[in-house]
Amino acid sequence: MSRFAASVSVDPRIIEKLPKFDAPFFQAGLAGYSDAAMRIVAREHGCPFCVTESLLDRTLISGGKGRRREDPELLAQEHVEEACNLHDHPIAGQVIGITPDEMAQGAAILVELGYDVIDVNLACPPKRVRRRKRGGYFLCAPTEGVEILEAVREVVPDNIPTTLKLRRGFDDSEESVTNFYTLFDGAMDLEYLWATVHGRSVEQRYNGPSRWEFLTNLVKERPDALIFGSGDIWCAEDIFKMMEETGVHGVSVARGCIGNPWIFAQARALMDGRDPKDPTIQEQRSALLRHFELCTDLHGEQVASRLMRKFGISFSRFHSKPEEVRKEFISIQSAVEWKCVLDTYYCNS
Ligand SMILES: Cc1cc2nc3c(=O)[nH]c(=O)nc-3n(C[C@H](O)[C@H](O)[C@H](O)COP(=O)(O)O)c2cc1C
């Protein structure tokens, strides 16, 4: 398998539009996780491209909290703005919503904010979202979905690629597969640069396996389309396993990179024919410190202390005493307590 990793390259259609997207994987949109702090840490470990979490069109239009979270110009501290501008590219801003008109307005705002790619989410599964006819709902209403794709493509300038996030279907019915292809082909006809396809259905949410055979068939059925695969990528080897088994051009890394930015460095090592290395305790400490520092810059100490608990818990799996460290991270209230856990558990000596 490592021989396969050493043979992969980035599709020239991607390089042509996004020259810095120099490895065939990216950090997925992950609501509640993939803010600028997580993205910058990922990039510092070799991630070549990131997607924001899904940003609600109406929130973008009203200039609300979701927009603030993603808008470097609205971020409170100048050095955060600078860091985001310097280091958080290339990046896709992902828009989600209900009507073509509002989705197009949301996409236009993301263009104004400087995103390099506009990603349309027709995949998101939570019940709340479905009831409001967003995201994965459009796998039940593909004609409406294509109208959204059209409206977004129309407002986005030609030099900025649009991309699509989809799931394999709403459920396991045949109609669902037909609907998938209506949306997928609609995007390709409109010259969307790629589609990222999650091999779970909307109904499946995040349960059960991601059906990689669906991706294999899709690649066979649509050999000219640029396709990224998503689902069940837990370690660097999985990236290349998915590419080799299914023929997708690249892979979206999602839960596998929460508290594990090393997955990107390990993937690059495999591409270079080197053995991937587990992070040393010192490397874990540096990544935890850096993530906390960026998170504090973005959200302030109080919010960061709360937000970082879940990251600390994920990071703890690399520690030799995961349970003990996990318990410590769960109750952190401040930067001082964070530092204290690092000094107690993440020192060499
Ligand atoms: C907590 C969480 C939040 C997510 N948020 C988004 C999102 O905002 N946008 C998106 O396109 N996908 C989102 N996803 C889906 C992931 O990008 C990915 O497609 C999915 O987790 C399957 O990959 P995995 O099995 O390797 O985790 C989310 C997934 C999780 C678990």
Side-chain angles (χ1 to χ4, degrees):
M1 188 207 305
S2 55
R3 222 181 300 138
F4 177 79
S7 73
V8 305
S9 57
V10 180
D11 190 282
R13 289 168 288 185
I14 298 178
I15 299 280
E16 189 198 326
K17 300 272 184 189
L18 302 158
K20 289 191 179 149
F21 195 158
D22 65 351
F25 46 82
F26 66 79
Q27 180 173 281
L30 284 160
Y33 290 89
S34 58
D35 61 6
M38 184 179 173
R39 296 192 301 255
I40 289 172
V41 172
R43 291 179 196 279
E44 289 172 353
H45 288 81
C47 177
F49 183 82
C50 296
V51 183
T52 66
E53 66 179 277
S54 53
L55 303 164
L56 192 58
D57 53 1
R58 286 186 185 170
T59 312
L60 289 164
I61 295 164
S62 68
K65 199 169 154 240
R67 173 167 174 176
R68 187 169 301 267
R69 206 167 42 224
E70 279 305 325
D71 182 351
E73 281 169 28
L74 293 174
L75 290 169
Q77 299 180 37
E78 243 171 60
H79 67 281
V80 181
E81 182 187 334
E82 206 178 305
C84 291
N85 281 335
L86 283 177
H87 303 301
D88 204 9
H89 289 274
I91 182 167
Q94 187 183 76
V95 65
I96 191 167
I98 302 173
T99 68
D101 181 46
E102 286 176 331
M103 285 284 273
Q105 285 183 56
I109 289 166
L110 291 176
V111 170
E112 255 172 61
L113 295 176
Y115 288 92
D116 308 293
V117 172
I118 305 303
D119 192 46
V120 177
N121 183 321
L122 302 184
C124 215
K127 275 207 182 98
R128 188 165 49 83
V129 174
R130 226 162 60 201
R131 230 186 8 247
R132 295 200 189 131
K133 302 189 173 178
R134 297 183 194 123
Y137 158 79
F138 292 103
L139 280 152
C140 293
T143 313
E144 289 173 44
V146 173
E147 283 167 13
I148 284 178
L149 295 173
E150 267 164 11
V152 168
R153 189 57 267 180
E154 209 161 287
V155 295
V156 174
D158 288 350
N159 63 325
I160 297 185
T162 46
T163 56
L164 168 65
K165 173 74 186 284
L166 268 184
R167 286 188 172 231
R168 68 172 166 83
F170 190 85
D171 53 28
D172 290 336
S173 66
E174 272 178 36
E175 187 191 351
S176 214
V177 178
T178 310
N179 292 351
F180 169 89
Y181 275 96
T182 304
L183 291 172
F184 184 90
D185 291 340
M188 294 305 134
D189 290 347
L190 288 160
E191 297 188 3
Y192 274 54
L193 186 57
W194 72 73
T196 304
V197 180
H198 180 184
R200 292 187 179 85
S201 66
V202 177
E203 252 187 14
Q204 242 185 304
R205 298 172 67 89
Y206 299 99
N207 305 319
S210 168
R211 214 177 269 173
W212 288 14
E213 315 88 80
F214 186 87
L215 301 175
T216 311
N217 288 337
L218 175 62
V219 170
K220 280 199 195 116
E221 296 279 342
R222 299 292 184 270
D224 296 332
L226 198 44
I227 300 163
F228 278 82
S230 167
D232 286 337
I233 303 298
W234 303 107
C235 63
E237 283 83 358
D238 288 342
I239 294 174
F240 303 104
K241 192 169 165 232
M242 179 186 264
M243 290 181 74
E244 189 171 18
E245 268 184 43
T246 68
V248 292
H249 301 86
V251 169
S252 154
V253 185
R255 285 173 292 177
C257 64
I258 297 175
N260 181 19
W262 299 285
I263 194 169
F264 300 111
Q266 290 163 349
R268 284 190 186 265
L270 288 169
M271 286 175 70
D272 294 344
R274 289 180 284 119
D275 278 338
K277 294 212 168 28
D278 287 336
T280 63
I281 198 77
Q282 199 52 45
E283 286 164 345
Q284 293 173 50
R285 180 187 168 88
S286 300
L288 281 158
L289 267 176
R290 177 71 170 144
H291 199 152
F292 192 87
E293 174 193 288
L294 288 164
C295 193
T296 305
D297 285 349
L298 278 174
H299 308 287
E301 182 183 334
Q302 208 183 351
V303 174
S305 305
R306 185 171 42 77
L307 269 180
M308 285 300 296
R309 288 177 194 157
K310 61 189 177 197
F311 286 105
I313 291 165
S314 292
F315 272 100
S316 70
R317 68 186 182 278
F318 295 105
H319 198 277
S320 56
K321 296 178 183 160
E323 274 312 308
E324 220 173 301
V325 178
R326 186 187 151 87
K327 275 192 199 128
E328 294 289 337
F329 278 128
I330 285 171
S331 56
I332 278 177
Q333 307 267 7
S334 66
V336 171
E337 288 179 21
W338 182 263
K339 182 90 190 341
C340 184
V341 176
L342 296 194
D343 287 346
T344 311
Y345 291 97
Y346 288 88
C347 279
N348 270 333
S349 48

